[in-house]
Amino acid sequence: MDFDGTAAVFKALGDAHRLRALHFLATADAGCCSTGQGICTCDVQERLGLSQPTTSHHMKILVEAGLVTSEKRGKWTYYTLSAHGLHLARTTVSALLAAVPQPQKEAV
């Protein structure tokens, strides 16, 4: 198991603003400035209600953790979800759950 990479994913998931950003990327409708090829920084910033530098900081952490991909187009950056980090988180939690002892039924 890649403990450092997994820790980075869970660290990124451990912030409410970043969780909101991930949720927004997963549920954004075509009505925002989305081109169907990612969600614009301006939309993420508006949704989170944070300044541009703070939004960029949070998105950078999500990108570095492999939860989001980014593409610069002109002066804007567009973000999309990445299966890599999400799969890593799911696999880790599933492995830990599999190791949880099952309660024993009492003999009658």
Side-chain angles (χ1 to χ4, degrees):
M1 179 185 285
D2 173 16
F3 290 108
D4 291 334
T6 303
V9 169
F10 282 100
K11 180 179 177 183
L13 292 171
D15 181 89
H17 294 300
R18 293 191 285 272
L19 287 173
R20 283 186 193 97
L22 289 171
H23 183 263
F24 178 56
L25 293 178
T27 61
D29 65 4
C32 67
C33 105
S34 170
T35 62
Q37 299 173 346
I39 306 297
C40 180
T41 302
C42 62
D43 289 325
V44 177
Q45 180 182 342
E46 182 179 323
R47 176 59 63 100
L48 296 181
L50 301 172
S51 68
Q52 184 277 322
T54 302
T55 300
S56 292
H57 168 75
H58 285 298
M59 297 310 293
K60 179 181 177 187
I61 290 171
L62 291 171
V63 169
E64 288 174 351
L67 293 162
V68 172
T69 60
S70 65
E71 180 183 339
K72 186 90 168 156
R73 292 186 221 140
K75 70 176 192 169
W76 297 107
T77 302
Y78 289 80
Y79 298 99
T80 55
L81 289 178
S82 171
H84 172 74
L86 297 169
H87 178 73
L88 183 59
R90 180 175 60 183
T91 302
T92 301
V93 171
S94 293
L96 293 172
L97 280 171
V100 174
Q102 297 299 313
Q104 299 293 320
K105 292 187 179 185
E106 291 185 29
V108 182

